[in-house]
Amino acid sequence: MSHSEATTSTDQAGTDPTSPAQHEVRNPEESRLKALLEPAVLASRLYLEDVAIQVAGSHRVVHVVIDLPQEETGGVSLDVIAEISRALSDILDNDPRTDGRPYDLEVSSPGVGRPLTEPRHWHRARGRMVKVNVIQGENLTGRIQSVDDDGVTLVPEQEVKKGMKPKQGEPVKIPFDRIRQGKVEIEFSHLNEAVLEDEYNRPSEEA
């Protein structure tokens, strides 16, 4: 017997079981489940970010992280997460290769604090203010103007005296191979969005 939860990940480095750092060596069963679930996720016009399994004795928790396609902005709503949770739960319940152990299914979407580690993450953050640590260069904070196959174009914000309106510099192109780390900066104009994502972090009723 299984049940599922609709949540949003907090993206805390080192604690998220679905973070890239945790999955440099993927469990074969995780890879199998990702291949099993991915068609249903794609059919819902979503992107399957990751699948992770945590085992505790005879019980296991299947963590599934979904996201919107890279050409879309915004976040995944709880209604969408609940809907895809039901679809994925049905697939797992009818998995012909399951070992029969009980499981919990947890479906989440990446929070706004997710590190920008892949080109699709940068596409999803278009128009947002980001902080970029640059390899062999000056670190930048600016708004993402555009993203292509080679890198990211930012409109940097220049430092000004306290109380003055921030000034924008000339657009700067940063190749992906020179980006050490990137992260979205929370702005007042996006405060409501951040609050909503914080609400998503709270466990929902079991489906």
Side-chain angles (χ1 to χ4, degrees), residues 78-133:
L78 279 179
D79 287 341
V80 170
I81 291 179
E83 183 178 346
I84 195 65
S85 296
R86 290 190 290 270
L88 299 185
S89 182
D90 288 341
I91 293 173
L92 291 175
D93 287 344
N94 293 282
D95 181 5
R97 294 176 58 185
T98 183
D99 57 13
R101 285 183 296 173
Y103 72 90
D104 290 341
L105 171 64
E106 295 183 356
V107 180
S108 66
S109 65
V112 70
R114 165 184 60 184
L116 306 175
T117 59
E118 300 178 17
R120 68 173 307 275
H121 297 162
W122 293 93
H123 279 280
R124 291 277 288 113
R126 292 189 312 277
R128 302 297 293 265
M129 187 69 65
V130 296
K131 184 175 182 179
V132 185
N133 290 337

Side-chain angles (χ1 to χ4, degrees), residues 71-82:
E71 63 271 11
E72 296 188 27
T73 57
V76 184
S77 71
L78 279 179
D79 287 341
V80 170
I81 291 179

Side-chain angles (χ1 to χ4, degrees), residues 180-191:
R180 177 179 289 109
Q181 184 181 37
K183 190 172 183 180
V184 171
E185 298 281 281
I186 299 297
E187 302 176 78
F188 287 112
S189 60
H190 293 283
L191 189 57

